[in-house]
Amino acid sequence: MLYTFILWAVIGGILLLVVLVRLFRPHRRTSGAGNDGRNKQSFFYRIWRSLASGTRRYLLPEALPGFFPNTTRLQILILAILCVYLTIFSFVGIVYKTWVTPVKNSTKFNTRTGLGGFSDRVGAMAYALTPLTIALSTRDSILSLLTGVPYQHFNFLHRWIGRIILIQSFIHTIGWTIIEGRLYQPQPKVYNNFIKQTYMVWGIVAQGFITFLWLFSTRRVIRWTGYEFFRKSHFVVAGLYLGACWGHWSRLACWMIASLGLLGIDLGLRILRMCLIHLGYKDGNSGLGFRTVQSRVDVFKDPSGTILRLSFTHNHEPWKLGQHYYLTFPSLSIWQSHPFTPASVPPTALVPPTHTYIIRARSGETGKLAALAEASCREDENSFQTPVILVGPYGCSVVDNEVSNILAIAGGTGISFTLPIIRAVLADPSSHAQNIEMVWVVRHVENLTWIASELLTLKSQLGLPPSTTQDSDGDIKEIRNVSHHVVHSTKHFRIRIFVTRSSKTATPPAQEKDMDISSTSSVASATGHYHEPRELLKPHPMFSISYLNHERPSISSVIHKFIDQTVSEGRTQVVASGPPDLGTDVRAAVAARNSVGGVWRGDERADVECVWDDRMG
């Protein structure tokens, strides 16, 4: 028991230190714009920013991708420190001696060693780690509240601490099996009496449950059984495992009570969140009760698959930029929910929020929704409507109000994460960010119609370089006449689109790799509907579309070019979302741009922050 409490004393001390650092961390003092703000850096602020830059420089890149895919060095370092700590304290304080004692009324001897104490220590550590792995898995995570780290970034540690508990439980089981089945005599009488005891039966049941949790959480089994089966069975079996552990050794029930409490709180808060959004909402004469939200679904087809644009307006508390919701589609199933980030900006006034989601249809629930929407649109030219249940929001705000430069990089439907950040910063006159660039990597030029109205609004807010000609200005004025809500801004803003595959409707000349597209054609966007992409493709000095002929853009070059050519001063924040490989490239490029020496000398251009959206952890 002592070493388990020491373990949690260490964990509590680390969390307390993190909280204190968050509360009292130094901030940049700025009293004006331009070069005046650059000199307002205290000694403690430079130490803090230098430590942050150094951490990103050496711990942000991924390591051992074959064994730890899409995992940063910092995550691996935390896991390694925990493993070293558990290894040391699993052996410390144990008497390593052997005693041979005679058995009463027998010629046999009992052999007593330090194996019993070691096995008990390992089992107690497994019990003590259980609340930690539960806390690392909850959506309403107390760890996120204390550290400011979104809950999904704890999934790596949750998985590996679960595996550590599995290994500890097997070591504990094997150790006592050797003691009771070999070292104690006479056999098999001693072992038979041992295995029949109630606490041993519960131990075997608990061992079976934790083996199930590990086996059915492997990637191959999840592909066989489906992700929803994994989620539901994982939750139920985890609760049964906690109960079995309680029955196995009630003297350590405090750790199981804490674990069950965390599970109960998380489940209760999920239900509360859902009720706050849907329960008691009045809809005309329908009265009070549980109300689903009717959403409009537009279907976008391209050679690579199907994309759904889900949109609706509902009166509830708005979310923060970077947060996401879990969506359930009752017309398909009430037992499945999936995380999606709103591509819309949360309102700042007292108006009902409008949700927009860009969803790629795959083989599971989203594929069924796409099939249902396409069938409905074939029967009726109007857009398909379906009820939606929301649970959330989850995650943390990702906007750093102290940065001067923002680079948003999105791959495919990852635009849902970066688009509202860009729109909100442009619309906020108090934002310190003056240099903003949006990079979107898509497979086909038709994909621009996913966010046609939003993209037109952003194009109307593009700035003009000093060398802009009157002709280009005329084009821009024509774009600004588009009937969208426009917030004019003096910020330096640029949009870069990369098309990785050839387009059937707008193919550029083979010799031109990077150019402004001015061709016009009709692009199919929603089943039964067509949108004219003329305004989307209209040229602008600060808007470019690059065709890459089945190649991927160099993310490193994109980030280096942004910092070297557009950033004159101030910190930079890179926000990104998309395929895992994109995250790997972004982390590596951002890490390379950080420089401890540069930040210490006051050059904030060497202080580059990375925010990667990974809702699945």
Side-chain angles (χ1 to χ4, degrees), residues 454-500:
E454 293 86 353
L455 193 56
L456 288 174
T457 301
L458 290 177
K459 289 190 68 174
S460 70
Q461 297 175 261
L462 291 170
L464 290 176
S467 59
T468 303
T469 63
Q470 181 63 36
D471 291 339
S472 297
D473 184 60
D475 288 337
I476 294 163
K477 287 181 180 179
E478 184 179 351
I479 293 176
R480 287 181 178 172
N481 289 332
V482 179
S483 59
H484 293 279
H485 176 67
V486 176
V487 181
H488 296 284
S489 173
T490 58
K491 302 177 188 292
H492 181 273
F493 176 46
R494 180 185 181 188
I495 299 176
R496 300 179 67 189
I497 308 292
F498 292 94
V499 181
T500 60

Side-chain angles (χ1 to χ4, degrees), residues 572-583:
T572 299
Q573 183 182 48
V574 179
V575 294
S577 179
D581 290 345
L582 177 64

Side-chain angles (χ1 to χ4, degrees), residues 422-474:
I422 293 297
R423 294 180 63 194
V425 171
L426 290 174
D428 184 6
S430 63
S431 172
H432 291 169
Q434 298 297 318
N435 179 36
I436 307 161
E437 183 170 309
M438 186 181 87
V439 176
W440 189 17
V441 183
V442 294
R443 294 177 179 178
H444 310 278
V445 72
E446 294 91 340
N447 299 155
L448 301 186
T449 55
W450 300 349
I451 55 169
S453 59
E454 293 86 353
L455 193 56
L456 288 174
T457 301
L458 290 177
K459 289 190 68 174
S460 70
Q461 297 175 261
L462 291 170
L464 290 176
S467 59
T468 303
T469 63
Q470 181 63 36
D471 291 339
S472 297
D473 184 60

Side-chain angles (χ1 to χ4, degrees), residues 17-312:
L17 179 62
V18 172
V19 171
L20 293 177
V21 168
R22 291 187 65 205
L23 290 176
F24 300 105
R25 68 183 180 91
H27 294 273
R28 185 172 184 263
R29 300 195 305 268
T30 56
S31 58
N35 293 331
D36 292 337
R38 185 172 51 189
N39 297 325
K40 301 295 182 178
Q41 299 182 29
S42 67
F43 175 76
F44 293 104
Y45 177 81
R46 290 195 182 187
I47 291 178
W48 170 250
R49 296 314 312 173
S50 297
L51 289 174
S53 179
T55 300
R56 289 191 293 267
R57 173 78 179 187
Y58 299 105
L59 299 181
L60 181 61
E62 297 177 5
L64 304 175
F67 196 68
F68 298 106
N70 310 119
T71 306
T72 65
R73 294 176 184 172
L74 178 60
Q75 292 174 304
I76 298 174
L77 177 62
I78 294 173
L79 178 62
I81 293 174
L82 179 62
C83 290
V84 171
Y85 178 93
L86 293 174
T87 301
I88 293 174
F89 283 90
S90 293
F91 291 94
V92 169
I94 296 175
V95 179
Y96 296 97
K97 290 183 179 180
T98 301
W99 298 269
V100 178
T101 59
V103 177
K104 187 177 181 179
N105 300 326
S106 174
T107 59
K108 297 182 180 296
F109 295 88
N110 286 331
T111 303
R112 303 181 185 276
T113 67
L115 180 60
F118 169 74
S119 300
D120 284 342
R121 176 75 57 78
V122 171
M125 287 292 189
Y127 270 61
L129 286 175
T130 302
L132 178 59
T133 191
I134 296 294
L136 291 167
S137 68
T138 55
R139 295 180 192 172
D140 289 286
S141 175
I142 187 174
L143 297 178
S144 294
L145 181 65
L146 296 175
T147 64
V149 178
Y151 77 96
Q152 62 268 25
H153 293 287
F154 293 127
N155 283 342
F156 167 78
L157 289 176
H158 165 70
R159 288 192 295 264
W160 277 96
I161 292 179
R163 292 163 185 166
I164 290 173
I165 294 175
L166 175 71
I167 295 171
Q168 289 174 323
S169 65
F170 269 108
I171 293 175
H172 174 77
T173 301
I174 294 171
W176 275 105
T177 300
I178 294 173
I179 293 171
E180 296 287 348
R182 177 67 179 175
L183 299 183
Y184 288 176
Q185 298 294 328
Q187 294 295 340
K189 179 181 177 180
V190 171
Y191 184 78
N192 289 338
N193 292 335
F194 163 75
I195 205 67
K196 292 176 183 178
Q197 297 180 75
T198 302
Y199 84 95
M200 272 308 304
V201 174
W202 280 117
I204 294 171
V205 172
Q207 190 67 48
F209 282 146
I210 194 172
T211 303
F212 176 94
L213 290 173
W214 167 75
L215 181 63
F216 282 81
S217 64
T218 57
R219 294 181 182 272
R220 178 170 296 181
V221 175
I222 291 176
R223 286 196 296 265
W224 291 344
T225 60
Y227 184 72
E228 280 305 313
F229 175 82
F230 156 72
R231 285 183 55 200
K232 299 300 187 293
S233 64
H234 207 71
F235 189 88
V236 172
V237 176
L240 296 175
Y241 166 74
L242 297 177
C245 287
W246 192 339
H248 174 61
W249 202 252
S250 59
R251 296 178 184 177
L252 292 175
C254 57
W255 304 120
M256 299 303 109
I257 294 173
S259 301
L260 287 169
L262 290 172
L263 278 181
I265 291 173
D266 185 59
L267 180 59
L269 289 176
R270 293 186 193 185
I271 297 174
L272 179 61
R273 285 178 181 270
M274 181 174 61
C275 291
L276 288 175
I277 295 177
H278 296 279
L279 192 62
Y281 177 70
K282 286 187 175 182
D283 184 11
N285 297 323
S286 299
L288 298 175
F290 189 89
R291 299 284 183 268
T292 59
V293 183
Q294 285 296 321
S295 64
R296 166 178 169 167
V297 181
D298 292 315
V299 184
F300 296 80
K301 304 285 290 184
D302 64 40
S304 299
T306 303
I307 296 294
L308 306 175
R309 180 184 169 113
L310 190 77
S311 55
F312 57 85

